[in-house]
Amino acid sequence: MDYSVQVHRIQARLIDYRGETVNAVFIVPAISDETFEVEGMLQRLNDPEGRFLPCEIEDQVELVQVERIAYVEFHKRLPSLARLEEVGARKAQVSLRLANDESVSGTLYYEAPEIRQRVSDLLNSDRPRFLVLVSPGVVRLVNRSAIYRARV
């Protein structure tokens, strides 16, 4: 019997709380062929049990502490954006000041119940840990705990 787990390798930039940037290849379980990029990454990053995420940095496998990631950056449109749009995700233009003293801005995509749909409601809730922020040519999965200030 083969007990191996099919995985996908996702290239992205990893930016930590100190502002250090590294190119990384993330290793995530395959969920489906169409949506593996965001579904797999968001699922791993938002898993409350997940503390470390396996990735390759400079051809070495490393385990990165999820809570120390400020954001993960992709330079292509990810399939989960279409899924978020299909389910009627909320959108808001935001500018975020992060704990590493960096500012990022774009369209924040998020799912919210009708009674708690403001950006402030999202930022004050305890889930999800990582939020989807889209700018022209760049998708960032931003750690909510890395957000110092938000301008909406």
Side-chain angles (χ1 to χ4, degrees):
M1 294 189 120
D2 181 16
Y3 291 104
S4 64
V5 175
Q6 183 179 4
V7 296
H8 288 292
R9 301 165 58 77
I10 304 169
Q11 292 186 343
R13 284 184 353 129
L14 173 92
I15 296 80
D16 69 15
Y17 270 59
R18 296 172 301 158
E20 182 180 347
T21 300
V22 295
N23 291 320
V25 177
F26 291 90
I27 304 164
V28 296
I31 294 174
S32 76
D33 288 336
E34 297 92 36
T35 62
F36 73 88
E37 290 170 323
V38 166
E39 300 301 330
M41 284 300 294
L42 275 177
Q43 182 178 25
R44 290 300 294 269
L45 291 169
N46 286 327
D47 180 356
E49 301 293 318
R51 297 189 188 272
F52 286 86
L53 186 64
C55 61
E56 290 179 7
I57 299 173
E58 297 176 1
D59 296 323
Q60 297 290 318
V61 174
E62 296 187 22
L63 297 172
V64 176
Q65 185 181 21
V66 174
E67 282 301 322
R68 301 300 297 164
I69 298 172
Y71 62 91
V72 179
E73 184 175 88
F74 304 87
H75 289 279
K76 60 181 175 176
R77 185 170 173 85
L78 300 174
S80 73
L81 290 180
R83 188 194 66 77
L84 285 170
E85 290 168 345
E86 285 173 13
V87 299
R90 307 266 180 226
K91 295 185 222 175
Q93 293 296 316
V94 298
S95 178
L96 305 175
R97 183 72 168 186
L98 305 179
N100 65 10
D101 215 24
E102 183 178 357
S103 292
V104 293
S105 60
T107 304
L108 184 66
Y109 284 75
Y110 60 100
E111 295 179 65
E114 194 66 34
I115 59 170
R116 295 188 53 95
Q117 56 185 289
R118 300 173 304 176
V119 172
S120 61
D121 294 327
L122 174 69
L123 295 177
N124 283 312
S125 65
D126 60 349
R127 295 280 178 249
R129 183 178 359 188
F130 281 78
L131 308 175
V132 178
L133 182 69
V134 180
S135 302
V138 179
V139 176
R140 293 180 183 95
L141 305 181
V142 180
N143 188 339
R144 185 176 1 155
S145 65
I147 299 170
Y148 172 61
R149 293 191 324 239
R151 180 174 293 155
V152 295

